[in-house]
Amino acid sequence: MAGRLAHVADCFEGDPKVSAAAAGAALEVERVRRAYGAVVAVDDVSLTVGRGEFVTLLGPSGSGKTTTLRLVGGFEGVQAGAIRINGARVDGEPPYRRDTATIFQSGALFPHKTVAENVAYGLRMRKAPKPEIAERVARALDIVRLQGFEDRFPSQLSGGQKQRVALARSLVVRPAVLLFDEPLSALDLSLRLQLRAEIKRLHDELGFSAIYVTHDQGEAMAMSSRVAVMNRGRIEQIDKPERVFHEPANEFVYTFIGESCRMDVRLENGRTLDPQGRPVELRLAAPLPDGAWRLYVRPSRLKIAGDGEPAPNRLRGTIHFVEFLGDVFRTHVKAGALELFADHPGRLQQGPGDVVDLVWANEDMKAFQ
Amino acid sequence: MSEAAALDAPPASAGPRAPGMLRALGWAFTAFLVLYILIPVGVTLAMSFNGAAMIRFPIGDWSLRWYEDFFGSAQWIDALVNSIVIALGTTAVSTVAGVLAAWAFQRFRIPFREFWYVLIMLPLFMPGVVLGLGVAIAFGGFQIGDHSLYGSRELVMVAHSLWAMPLVFMLMEATFKTVDYRVVEASYDLGGRPVGTFFEIVVPMVSTGIVSSALFAFVISLNEFVMALFLTDRDTQTLPVLMWLSLRSAGTPRLAVASVILALTVFACLTVIMVWYVRQLRKTAR
Amino acid sequence: MTLARADSALAQAEPRPAKTSRRPNLAPWLLLSPALVIVLVFFGLPTLFMARMSFNLHIDQRLYVPGFTFEHYRTLFTNPIFTGAIWTTAQLALLSSLATVLIGYAFALLAWLKPARWRLLFIGLALCPLLISEIAIIFGWWMFFPKNGLLSYALVSSGLITDKISLMYTEFAAFVGLVYITLPYAFFILLSILDGIDRQMLESSADLGASPVVTFREVLLPLTRSGLLVAFSQAFIWAMGIYATPSALGPDTLWTMGFLIQEQMLGKHNWPLASALSMVLVVGVALVMILTRSLMSRQAAYHV
């Protein structure tokens, strides 16, 4: 098994277990900017991808993550800033002169070429000798577990198989940076999870450097060395996945990652008012100064209290309805104009119409003004 | 939908099929159309087997006599050859020009796009008389070395391209739009240069489009006769021109044979293309 | 084997705004050049020539004499032969375009509504006139209309009439031929417009209680109006320029512009007059095209 891993890792230059700090960064994006007319798609973005690092660009549509990727790949031109691959400046170069390989959302396989011809394409462009091409193609197909598919055409492949061919095609040229453009978005759920695990496994074995673009948080958290959360052309936070989740840098990151319940309240002279001015029964353990606040708690941290239970923070409201989500029961509670929901693994005693207390701990709440 | 109608009290006035009278009208119209379109075809086909020297119905004497006459006549065979040669030349010129132009429009940003687009398409809307006249006046007197341009096949090829090239351009423009540009980007991404990518990746993807437009160009040129009338002389006249001149002087079943031969040439091309197309399909979708 | 170019000077410089487009790109113009050569040299030039020629003098039997005169244009608009021809052509073109569009619309509707097998048949049928040379079409009708033609024979032998009849060299024959030739173009234009319409709109109209006729009037017709306009103008332009069909099938008095151009050019060797006629035709066509485009752009785009 170890022998096979080593053999497979041969396909890829460099020590699979290298750390990001070693031997200079694979990719440096330095204060890059790209606008289309009045719309600034990428606004002063900088990031570094070390050797062997897997960096994910995560964000909603329009956040600039895809544009950033395309700037790195050379499909769009930068209007300000610089891009360096392995230390050399590439931002003026067309895609065929950059040492990157992209895996597109639709796979973008050449429909009139066989799987083997598709995978061999990049090597042919680099003028590798024929026997070497044949060998490397075979090994690449081996890695993505598509041995025997050499002579098939893309029209004969399933969605998942197509993406694996796309993977092999990009891996085989051993680029300095692999670029993933939402490669799993077009697949159904079970396939997505399967391929996600494959990509992670490949990264663990081969140690390639990569930028991965997605709007799916699960993917970002599961696969990355670091996650860059993007919003409106800027990077809001770039850090290890656990840090982004538990220590969000700002309100956007907090609300974008994971689910959260939001309370828009106004604190005035000891009273708490909802957005429509009606009073709500909210008690905070650590009181906040007067003013308008946005309070967030994650639904998994909200509990429906039994009577007399000690609780640092408490909000009284009425159960509106209950949803069964498979893993948990989601109880929707209304307090005035405030709407929250709490997730519980089991069915509650209380039902719609009952008055309950939602309780949570201090460290589970984030407050923004 | 019919279930819903059954449940509700008022019946819907239109079901999945139109009411009786409309359907009868539809059938009648279809019959009319079929007749209308096929009459000249049928008449010509029948008359080509007429043994008599006059064109009249009913046909008493069925024979292949006029076919023999056609293939035995040097003048008519020369005309057929001229037509085919000119059509091939037109196809080559207009397909290359049209495909390249369409790709330029697809891939690059071109200043004043609309203007150039209209300019390229303009000749297609001009009557054949006007184009033929124009080319004859402008180039009729030209001499290249020994050869006079007037009456040359090459001039006719170019004149026909005035119609064929915009057609190829229009068809290929639509075809190129269906190309998934990501595939082209993938080629660049892996190191393919623009020219290489065009021939190795793009052209195979649009091969059916190219072949269909080339076929159209061929058919247009083969059948065209007004421009050819203006631009050919006795040696280079095409089959349609010869037919027109013969029509004015005397009509015999030989003309019917010529029509049939002309149509058969087109049909032969079509069949070759279809066979090629089917083989292509079978290759990529086993 | 790495592809990244080492550019040490650049790597040491401050990050500067890079241009999104590099030096002015020659590539598109290279690709466009064959098409442009064809259009500019073999269409643009001749058109200019013709324009110039139309002002030349015509004396005796010489083809043309360089000079400048409006005489030919005057002739065109005053001489009844020519004004008559222009008027005749326009009339014939208008009538046949109307018929073409009406028949073509019904034809396209049939092809659109019927299932796939029928559709292919209809398309095959519509392709026939396109694949056959105009001269062959003329000849086909030439054998159908006269006294000894198929029409006469069929009518007599089936007992509908007693004497042989000839419809040859009538305006009706020219009309029939003209519609035959322009029909496929109208058909394909209208079919492509219809294809862009969501069939479920018709179904929902029926669902809401409209009879087929009402659905057609209220839903289909408004949506296809622009297509009808385009088809009509195309047919009209074609019919205006046509030369052989009317002159072969119609009466000798039916002089179309196309016929006159040919006559002046090859028969009377009067190049300037032929050119003047051509220019009038060209300008007329251009006007119709511009008119059509402006009418179309004014309509809201609910289709396609």
Side-chain angles (χ1 to χ4, degrees), chain A residues 70 75 95-97 100-102 104 106 108-113 121-122 124-126 151 153 155-156 169, chain B residues 107 180 182-194 196-197 200-202 204-205 283-286:
Chain A
R70 287 174 68 81
F75 305 108
Y96 41 91
R97 279 206 268 265
T100 58
T102 309
F104 295 89
S106 62
L109 300 180
F110 306 126
H112 55 290
K113 291 182 181 286
Y121 191 78
R124 275 181 47 222
M125 293 302 132
R126 285 159 170 74
D151 293 324
F153 284 95
S155 58
Q156 299 167 296
R169 186 172 72 172
Chain B
R107 162 107 171 61
D180 180 6
R182 292 284 188 261
V183 177
V184 178
E185 282 185 349
S187 173
Y188 292 151
D189 182 62
L190 291 164
R193 297 294 202 277
T197 302
E200 188 170 348
I201 304 294
V202 179
M205 282 170 71
K283 197 170 76 151
T284 50
R286 241 168 292 154

Side-chain angles (χ1 to χ4, degrees), chain A residues 116-195:
Chain A
E117 285 166 355
N118 262 280
V119 176
Y121 191 78
L123 293 175
R124 275 181 47 222
M125 293 302 132
R126 285 159 170 74
K127 313 266 199 307
K130 279 223 183 88
E132 187 186 333
I133 294 184
E135 194 197 339
R136 282 166 70 168
V137 165
R139 282 201 276 173
L141 286 176
D142 208 39
I143 298 184
V144 299
R145 302 205 255 243
L146 281 179
Q147 312 94 317
F149 278 71
E150 287 84 359
D151 293 324
R152 301 251 186 119
F153 284 95
S155 58
Q156 299 167 296
L157 302 175
S158 71
Q161 287 166 340
K162 278 192 223 176
Q163 286 303 60
R164 286 201 252 150
V165 175
L167 261 171
R169 186 172 72 172
S170 294
L171 281 172
V172 82
V173 297
R174 304 186 209 159
V177 191
L178 266 178
L179 305 175
F180 290 85
D181 188 0
E182 301 202 53
L184 307 182
S185 308
L187 305 171
D188 60 49
L189 185 58
S190 59
L191 206 47
R192 230 184 293 160
L193 295 173
Q194 212 181 349
L195 274 176

Side-chain angles (χ1 to χ4, degrees), chain A residues 234-299:
Chain A
R234 287 172 175 262
I235 296 185
E236 302 280 356
Q237 183 177 7
I238 174 166
D239 215 330
K240 297 228 238 334
E242 318 87 71
R243 298 263 286 272
V244 171
F245 190 86
H246 289 300
E247 297 162 43
N250 57 33
E251 191 175 355
F252 174 80
V253 179
Y254 180 81
T255 51
F256 187 73
I257 310 276
E259 288 181 287
S260 50
C261 293
R262 173 176 158 146
M263 290 172 268
D264 279 294
V265 293
R266 181 170 201 82
L267 298 174
E268 239 174 61
N269 299 329
R271 295 196 307 157
T272 312
L273 303 172
D274 72 7
Q276 287 170 2
R278 289 178 286 174
V280 291
E281 284 179 58
L282 172 70
R283 207 187 68 199
L284 296 172
L288 296 164
D290 281 359
W293 287 90
R294 292 182 297 281
L295 307 173
Y296 295 96
V297 188
R298 301 219 187 265

Side-chain angles (χ1 to χ4, degrees), chain A residues 17-69:
Chain A
K17 298 271 182 7
V18 85
S19 75
L27 172 69
E28 289 163 67
V29 175
E30 196 178 324
R31 307 202 59 182
V32 150
R33 181 193 159 90
R34 172 76 212 207
Y36 298 99
V39 178
V40 184
V42 175
D43 191 2
D44 197 16
V45 165
S46 301
L47 66 96
T48 311
V49 177
R51 294 266 159 95
E53 255 208 302
F54 194 106
V55 175
T56 297
L57 301 180
L58 174 69
S61 23
S63 54
K65 54 192 196 297
T66 305
T67 312
T68 308
L69 191 84

Side-chain angles (χ1 to χ4, degrees), chain A residues 30-35 71 76-83 89-93 98, chain C residues 10 14-22:
Chain A
E30 196 178 324
R31 307 202 59 182
V32 150
R33 181 193 159 90
R34 172 76 212 207
L71 288 171
E76 315 269 356
V78 303
Q79 286 164 340
I83 299 183
R89 188 89 183 252
V90 298
D91 42 80
E93 305 284 1
R98 299 196 192 197
Chain C
L10 275 179
E14 281 296 288
R16 54 155 171 75
K19 286 207 195 61
T20 49
S21 55
R22 294 133 218 164

Side-chain angles (χ1 to χ4, degrees), chain B residues 47-60:
Chain B
M47 187 56 68
S48 70
F49 294 107
N50 189 0
M54 287 259 292
I55 296 188
R56 74 187 302 142
F57 281 92
I59 298 178

